[in-house]
Amino acid sequence: MLEIMDNSDGYDFHISENQELIRKMVGDFAEKNIRPHVMEWDEAQYFPLEVFKRLGELGLMGILVPEAYGGSGLGYQEYVDVIAGIASVCGSVGLSLAAHNSLCTGHIQAFANEEQKHRWLPKLATGEWIGAWGLTEANTGSDALRMNTTAVLEGDEYVINGSKNWITHGKSGDVAVVMVRTGEQGRAGGISAIVVERDTPGFSAGRKENKLGMRASETTEMVFTNCRVPKGNLLGAEGEGFKQAMKVLDGGRISIAALALGIAKGAYKAAITYSKERHQFGQPISSFQGISFKLADMATEIAAAELLIRQAADLKNRRLPVTKESAMAKYYASEVAVRVATDAVQIFGGYGYTKDYPVEKFYRDSKLCTIGEGTSEIQKIVIAREILK
């Protein structure tokens, strides 16, 4: 038996009635509220905050948050459905929704104490607040242990100085979970996680990135200048931040995998439709083997990616170790998204290279999936480390 599928309990990929209802709700919402504005938002790099407020009203800003804290109390299979469903229409909105749910909100849900959960989760889960999460810095991408942002305890307050880069909602986020150095540089035990609210003096937004894709998902610097934060905003104990962040990223990889899946499905659906409508030499181009074989490869790789994602989601739901499986799902699904989007552009030909058709945007958006929340190369390191234990 293939090792990664070895599980005595088996995997149940049955689509529940609740999942069907969620898929329909998400699909209807995306068609009505997102699709008409996709290119307008992309061109203007406009972050559609009003859309996220409406997603909050539907319970989709706190998908995994228990009902006791204002969330929907759903599981990871439903979470995958939501992210993939939104991303199949717009990768930017899918990315922001994933970052809000899995990173900021997910970190607080997993590691905050009860008082902290009741303080922040209801606002995040309902969309009243947008969340951000800060790990990456300008000179410390994959090498996060070398971060320079520091937090020094002075009395009952931490004084934070430094900056974070490539932060989703770094400007519009109302609250951020920030990884800071409270100890020796280069040591996992020297990093802590602190929650910083937007109106805290010394906390500001820096440069906004002008990106290739995902342009309607806000990405900016977060800057901290003698930013004083109550000691009570520390998540867990001092020195636990890096370990917490790695566990959060296990779930975050499922998020990016689901995002990639949605982008791939969106590009594939567009390619299928176009190949049936576009005629050359008196017949639809879908009848040509060169095109039909591309579509066959796309369909097969999408199905394989989804199985890896569903496996990781199943393990996550059952609170079983998921580091290897989530890395596999993220790595494979993100690379599939790029291949599928590339082939979709090829099937559209010259039209695929224009902004009048959707595959051009899927093509640009797909690449981020191989970089964000751990590059494909980092995923291979994680997978290799797990299988060689």
Side-chain angles (χ1 to χ4, degrees):
M1 180 180 288
L2 187 61
E3 183 194 351
I4 64 167
M5 296 300 289
D6 184 12
N7 178 20
S8 58
D9 295 331
Y11 295 95
D12 180 7
F13 298 130
H14 171 71
I15 304 301
S16 68
E17 183 179 351
N18 195 40
Q19 278 182 268
E20 291 286 6
L21 291 172
I22 290 171
R23 289 180 179 186
K24 185 178 187 309
M25 176 185 70
V26 169
D28 290 346
F29 179 90
E31 290 298 327
K32 181 180 179 181
N33 299 283
I34 300 174
R35 192 179 294 280
H37 309 288
V38 166
M39 290 311 297
E40 168 196 343
W41 295 340
D42 183 78
E43 291 286 325
Q45 297 194 69
Y46 173 71
F47 177 56
L49 188 59
E50 67 280 5
V51 168
F52 294 94
K53 298 298 183 182
R54 297 192 66 181
L55 286 168
E57 293 171 4
L58 295 175
L60 301 182
M61 296 294 275
I63 302 168
L64 300 164
V65 176
E67 293 180 20
Y69 305 109
S72 295
L74 298 172
Y76 268 80
Q77 300 294 2
E78 291 86 356
Y79 179 60
V80 169
D81 289 331
V82 172
I83 301 302
I86 295 291
S88 69
V89 175
C90 179
S92 295
V93 178
L95 172 61
S96 279
L97 186 63
H100 171 90
N101 272 281
S102 72
L103 297 180
C104 178
T105 306
H107 197 140
I108 291 171
Q109 181 181 331
F111 297 106
N113 59 40
E114 282 302 309
E115 186 275 326
Q116 292 170 328
K117 288 180 181 179
H118 282 287
R119 194 192 330 169
W120 293 309
L121 285 181
K123 292 180 178 180
L124 288 164
T126 58
E128 179 183 347
W129 278 11
I130 302 293
W133 193 78
L135 175 65
T136 303
E137 297 183 4
N139 297 313
T140 59
S142 299
D143 188 13
L145 289 177
R146 302 289 172 183
M147 68 174 61
N148 292 310
T149 299
T150 59
V152 178
L153 187 61
E154 293 185 2
D156 291 329
E157 294 179 320
Y158 280 101
V159 182
I160 305 175
N161 282 284
S163 62
K164 296 293 179 176
N165 292 62
W166 304 103
I167 307 304
T168 305
H169 314 144
K171 178 181 178 181
S172 296
D174 299 283
V175 64
V177 176
V178 186
M179 266 48 69
V180 294
R181 186 158 57 82
T182 51
E184 184 181 340
Q185 190 176 54
R187 290 184 59 253
I191 295 172
S192 303
I194 298 177
V195 176
V196 186
E197 296 183 11
R198 174 60 60 183
D199 59 1
T200 307
F203 178 23
S204 62
R207 175 174 175 266
K208 180 179 179 180
E209 303 296 340
N210 186 10
K211 299 176 294 182
L212 168 72
M214 303 289 195
R215 289 166 62 82
S217 177
E218 177 188 278
T219 305
T220 70
E221 289 178 304
M222 292 193 302
V223 181
F224 303 91
T225 307
N226 293 323
C227 179
R228 291 184 171 271
V229 179
K231 183 180 179 181
N233 285 22
L234 179 72
L235 295 178
E238 194 171 284
E240 292 181 348
F242 186 77
K243 185 185 297 184
Q244 292 176 9
M246 293 305 101
K247 290 181 179 178
V248 169
L249 286 175
D250 276 348
R253 288 173 182 137
I254 297 175
S255 295
I256 300 300
L259 179 69
L261 178 67
I263 291 170
K265 285 186 173 182
Y268 169 70
K269 182 179 179 181
I272 281 276
T273 301
Y274 182 80
S275 72
K276 293 177 180 178
E277 295 173 349
R278 173 70 168 171
H279 283 66
Q280 292 285 274
F281 308 104
Q283 54 189 311
I285 63 172
S286 60
S287 65
F288 300 131
Q289 191 176 79
I291 300 298
S292 65
F293 277 17
K294 283 186 186 298
L295 294 169
D297 284 340
M298 292 159 79
T300 302
E301 291 197 318
I302 288 171
E306 183 156 12
L307 285 171
L308 282 171
I309 296 166
R310 296 294 177 184
Q311 175 185 234
D314 178 68
L315 292 172
K316 190 71 175 171
N317 277 343
R318 292 189 285 151
R319 303 179 187 277
L320 294 174
V322 73
T323 300
K324 177 182 70 176
E325 288 78 7
S326 65
M328 286 179 167
K330 195 273 187 188
Y331 165 56
Y332 187 73
S334 63
E335 296 291 342
V336 164
V338 173
R339 288 195 293 270
V340 169
T342 300
D343 280 347
V345 170
Q346 196 71 18
I347 288 170
F348 271 75
Y351 291 114
Y353 203 67
T354 72
K355 293 182 181 291
D356 295 328
Y357 290 83
V359 292
E360 175 269 348
K361 183 175 183 296
F362 286 126
Y363 179 73
R364 288 186 290 108
D365 286 351
S366 66
K367 189 58 189 171
L368 184 277
C369 297
T370 70
I371 299 170
E373 295 194 37
T375 63
S376 290
E377 291 73 22
I378 289 294
Q379 304 312 315
K380 289 181 183 181
I381 291 173
V382 172
I383 295 164
R385 184 184 299 137
E386 290 295 311
I387 64 177
L388 293 173
K389 277 183 177 178

